[in-house]
């Protein structure tokens, strides 16, 4: 197996972000959470309005992100009330340097709930490849060093309940694991 460079991915809880193996606070107003398994692109520099050809050079590396959401029938976008809650974006456990990572447009993403495989996705199924996505988004939104862009989540997101352990595994990147706990036990 080739040597892969990993950078530490230490997070202090900052609003939605939590680290690997940090408890996910389970909502009092829902019976389920939707798992949003995503590859995260971490930027090494300020990025604004880059071309597809320039996009690759802006990447520091890749990580794993769980873009959690409370299931809803909200016609308003974005559904901030259901997505942007404290502890709803686990990220980590590390950043794999860009040149040591597998092709981000060709990786398998697996979701396990309580050690049972619940979903398998592939980044080749996404609407845009990573370079195109960076170019398109940077045309209207700037990124700073350390910012993370999620490349998208598969359809039919698995559901988790209070007490469940969810793991997202991306080949060549690693495995992100978190367990849901009541809000009283969760992050503050």
């Amino acid at each position: 197996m080739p040597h892969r460079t990993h950078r530490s991915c230490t997070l202090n809880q900052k609003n939605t972000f939590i680290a690997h193996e940090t408890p996910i606070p389970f909502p009092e107003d829902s019976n389920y959470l939707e798992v949003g398994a995503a590859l995260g692109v971490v930027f090494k520099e300020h990025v604004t309005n880059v071309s597809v050809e320039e996009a690759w050079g802006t990447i520091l590396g890749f990580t794993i992100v769980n873009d959690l959401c409370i299931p809803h029938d909200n016609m308003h976008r974005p559904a901030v009330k259901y997505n942007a809650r404290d502890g709803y974006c686990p990220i980590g456990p590390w950043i794999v340097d860009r040149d040591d990572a597998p092709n981000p447009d060709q990786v398998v993403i697996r979701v396990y709930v309580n050690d049972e495989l619940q979903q398998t996705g592939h980044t080749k199924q996404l609407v845009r490849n990573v370079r195109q996505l960076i170019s398109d988004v940077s045309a209207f939104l700037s990124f700073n060093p350390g910012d993370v862009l999620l490349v998208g989540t598969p359809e039919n997101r698995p559901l988790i309940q209070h007490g469940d352990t969810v793991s997202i595994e991306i080949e060549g990147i690693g495995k992100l694991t978190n367990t849901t706990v009541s809000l009283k036990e969760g992050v503050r």
Side-chain angles (χ1 to χ4, degrees), residues 115-147:
D115 295 323
E116 291 186 28
L117 181 63
Q118 297 293 314
Q119 183 181 47
T120 301
H122 201 291
T123 56
K124 71 180 176 186
Q125 298 166 321
L126 297 173
V127 174
R128 296 179 193 104
N129 67 41
V130 169
R131 288 175 178 92
Q132 186 68 57
L133 180 65
I134 292 170
S135 178
D136 290 352
V137 175
S138 74
F140 63 88
L141 176 71
S142 295
F143 297 99
N144 289 307
D147 283 353

Side-chain angles (χ1 to χ4, degrees), residues 50-110:
V50 297
S51 68
V52 172
E53 296 75 26
E54 297 167 318
W56 187 252
T58 67
I59 299 170
L60 172 70
F62 300 93
T63 193
I64 304 167
V65 182
N66 187 351
D67 187 19
L68 293 163
C69 180
I70 295 174
H72 61 279
D73 294 321
N74 185 8
M75 59 187 222
H76 303 288
R77 295 287 183 232
V80 174
K81 178 180 177 182
Y82 304 101
N83 290 81
R85 291 189 175 202
D86 288 347
Y88 275 32
C89 192
I91 186 167
W94 46 64
I95 301 165
V96 176
D97 284 355
R98 176 195 69 198
D99 295 333
D100 293 331
N103 179 345
D105 300 317
Q106 297 291 323
V107 293
V108 174
I109 302 173
R110 293 181 180 87

Side-chain angles (χ1 to χ4, degrees), residues 171-182:
E171 65 180 351
I173 305 296
K175 191 175 200 176
L176 170 66
T177 301
N178 301 85
T179 301
T180 60
V181 298
S182 71

Side-chain angles (χ1 to χ4, degrees), residues 154-169:
E155 294 181 306
N156 303 315
R157 295 162 58 140
L159 298 175
I160 56 174
Q161 298 178 323
H162 179 269
D164 284 345
T165 297
V166 60
S167 295
I168 298 171
E169 183 178 69

